[in-house]
Amino acid sequence: MSFPPSTSMHPPRGEVIGPVLFFDGTCGLCNRLVRVLLRWDREARLHFAPLQGPTAQRYLRDHGLPVVDFDTLVFVPDWSRRAEPWHLLRTDGVIAALRATGGPGARALAAALGVVPRALRDIGYRMVGRTRYALFGPWRPRPLKRPEWNARFLE
């Protein structure tokens, strides 16, 4: 899937631009992934929000995505263009989030995942998704390692 080029318009002061990843805020695995992405994303390109929160819920409703079944993550490549229906789900979203971080390890992992056909990747994603609470448990909130990371969350 290709995305339209970013516009040259500047967003209002304080407006988030760039990619946003919606994740299951109660899932231990999902929250661990977010923390890894925060560490790898040294240029602070990627922003985050839980699927259960008002920002993600509004986006999901606006784009006809499920608002109660959180078995996938949603990657929005350009938040300043969120009214347009460009988003990636499941492993396509994971790969896009890894690429957005820009780090060499993340790019290598994204490239490795990218050679596996989407159908096979998504089968594995769904298998892990069904057992993630049994394997990783629910998320127990704890402070982020770096206070500046708090600004990377939309809520």
Side-chain angles (χ1 to χ4, degrees), residues 113-126:
L113 287 171
V115 299
V116 177
R118 178 188 308 145
L120 292 176
R121 289 190 324 251
D122 284 351
I123 287 170
Y125 185 95
R126 286 185 178 106

Side-chain angles (χ1 to χ4, degrees), residues 143-152:
L144 294 168
K145 286 189 177 190
R146 298 183 184 159
E148 65 270 18
W149 286 351
N150 288 315
R152 307 269 300 281

Side-chain angles (χ1 to χ4, degrees), residues 31-129:
N31 277 278
R32 285 177 181 90
L33 171 65
V34 166
R35 286 172 184 248
V36 167
L37 292 171
L38 282 165
R39 280 194 310 274
W40 285 354
D41 186 10
R42 294 200 172 117
E43 294 191 24
R45 294 181 185 119
L46 190 56
H47 288 80
F48 306 91
L51 285 161
Q52 295 88 342
T55 300
Q57 286 287 299
R58 187 171 34 260
Y59 183 87
L60 297 172
R61 270 192 310 278
D62 289 350
H63 296 286
L65 297 169
V67 294
V68 292
D69 185 13
F70 304 121
D71 67 345
T72 188
L73 56 78
V74 179
F75 179 84
V76 181
D78 186 352
W79 189 245
S80 67
R81 299 180 72 154
R82 63 189 166 272
E84 299 172 20
W86 287 288
H87 53 263
L88 298 168
L89 306 174
R90 290 178 289 285
T91 58
D92 285 341
V94 170
I95 291 170
L98 288 167
R99 287 182 178 146
T101 67
R107 283 195 311 267
L109 182 54
L113 287 171
V115 299
V116 177
R118 178 188 308 145
L120 292 176
R121 289 190 324 251
D122 284 351
I123 287 170
Y125 185 95
R126 286 185 178 106
M127 288 172 52
V128 171

